Amino acid sequence: MVDFDLRSANARLRASNPLIQCITNTVVQQFSANVLLAVGASPAMLDHEADAGQFAGIASGILINFGTASNHQLLAADAAIDVANAAGKPWVLDPVSVGAVDFRTSRIRRAAADHPTAIRGNASEIAALAGVGLGGRGVDSTDEVDAVLPAAAQLSRKTGAIVAVSGPTDAVVAHIDGTDHVARIDGGCEFMPLVIGTGCSLGAVTGAYLAAARSGLADPDADASAVDAGEHTADGGAASARFEAVVAAHAHFAVAGELAADGAKGPGSYSVNFLDALHAVTGDQLAQARVSLSVLDAGESVQA
């Protein structure tokens, strides 16, 4: 069973102050930038094809989110992904509304085929990207988290990514050394889905924790594309570090989400409280996050 040290994961993030390039939904750019600053990372919203690839060589990690994708953003994403993969830098794919319309779906599937370090979406998005669902209602999920875990495991095996499924209880799935590991993270607040940007910014924070994890490896260049030609199974040590990083990002949001509920009267005041809480969360609090680990039975796995 994989062990997590979320206190150390948070300490690495704060110490390394990773620079995260966000090619993301224009609706959430400011919120995502503020969230990254609050957790101890640095945001960069460079999303034009003329300089996105060059900047990806400077950035510590990258978020790709096609929520309101323009032609510029699509080309920028292609350039940034190429550089990130060549340099072994972590990048996160948020498959917003995959399955809703054809062109968006084809572009997201193309990005997923380029082996993102992590994929983060709601249950319906993960099911659709794995090819076993039709997607949700716009950006809203119509599926339950536990119901799509076999699909998430299939997606992890196929792409080599750590796959995170957001919901009332988040789940993170990682295929490591032939086993499908599942971490469930409890927390948050009922106001979170009512604040635009909480999900999209979680993708950015996931990129930040992944970048911090890479900076802590003895051989950072072994962290990213150590996949074999079969099931794209990554080196166990590097994959475990990425798994811990993705769980840490979700735990940070879960803990802050609960803290932010204190004194919030509705989504507006909650949004302000949430930024403050993200900044205030300590490593000790993360170490106490409600995280449970299990292994997905082989019989539950969807066959590719």
Side-chain angles (χ1 to χ4, degrees):
M1 184 65 71
V2 177
D3 292 322
F4 296 136
D5 183 354
L6 302 186
R7 182 186 289 105
S8 294
N10 181 254
R12 281 192 298 270
L13 173 64
R14 300 282 187 181
S16 60
N17 183 226
L19 176 62
I20 306 303
Q21 180 180 6
C22 299
I23 300 173
T24 191
N25 190 336
T26 57
V27 177
V28 304
Q29 285 177 345
Q30 180 173 334
F31 188 80
S32 295
N34 283 333
V35 165
L36 282 169
L37 289 168
V39 302
S42 293
M45 295 352 215
L46 276 80
D47 61 357
H48 193 282
E49 73 270 21
D51 54 19
Q54 182 180 3
F55 193 83
I58 301 169
S60 309
I62 299 163
L63 168 67
I64 304 295
N65 176 319
F66 292 142
T68 57
S70 64
N71 287 334
H72 288 307
Q73 283 190 327
L74 293 172
L75 293 171
D78 290 341
I81 289 169
D82 285 346
V83 171
N85 283 341
K89 294 185 178 184
W91 66 278
V92 177
L93 174 64
D94 190 332
V96 179
S97 296
V98 63
V101 288
D102 292 343
F103 179 71
R104 169 186 296 274
T105 299
S106 68
R107 288 293 305 194
I108 292 173
R109 290 193 186 283
R110 174 174 159 183
D114 283 333
H115 305 302
T117 314
I119 299 172
R120 191 223 66 82
N122 65 38
S124 293
E125 290 165 344
I126 296 303
L129 190 56
V132 297
L134 300 177
R137 185 175 64 92
V139 298
D140 297 326
S141 178
T142 56
D143 294 288
E144 299 296 328
V145 171
D146 279 352
V148 305
L149 291 184
Q154 172 184 293
L155 189 60
S156 181
R157 293 194 304 274
K158 182 177 181 180
T159 64
I162 308 298
V163 178
V165 190
S166 295
T169 295
D170 294 336
V172 179
V173 179
H175 187 70
I176 302 173
D177 294 335
T179 300
D180 296 319
H181 299 269
V182 180
R184 290 177 174 84
I185 305 101
D186 286 323
C189 171
E190 62 184 4
F191 288 141
M192 291 184 80
L194 303 180
V195 177
I196 290 294
T198 50
C200 294
S201 60
L202 177 53
V205 171
T206 298
Y209 268 98
L210 283 165
R214 182 175 185 267
S215 72
L217 289 174
D219 181 8
D221 291 334
D223 178 43
S225 20
V227 294
D228 55 46
E231 289 186 317
H232 305 294
T233 302
D235 166 76
S240 294
R242 294 197 293 273
F243 188 23
E244 177 183 85
V246 176
V247 171
H250 286 71
H252 198 140
F253 261 52
V255 171
E258 287 190 336
L259 293 174
D262 186 18
K265 297 179 180 179
S269 54
Y270 182 81
S271 178
V272 174
N273 287 358
F274 183 57
L275 283 176
D276 289 344
L278 285 169
H279 181 69
V281 167
T282 67
D284 288 341
Q285 287 173 312
L286 280 192
Q288 299 300 316
R290 299 195 301 278
V291 178
S292 61
L293 284 166
S294 62
V295 172
L296 196 65
D297 293 337
E300 296 179 77
S301 300
V302 178
Q303 298 301 313

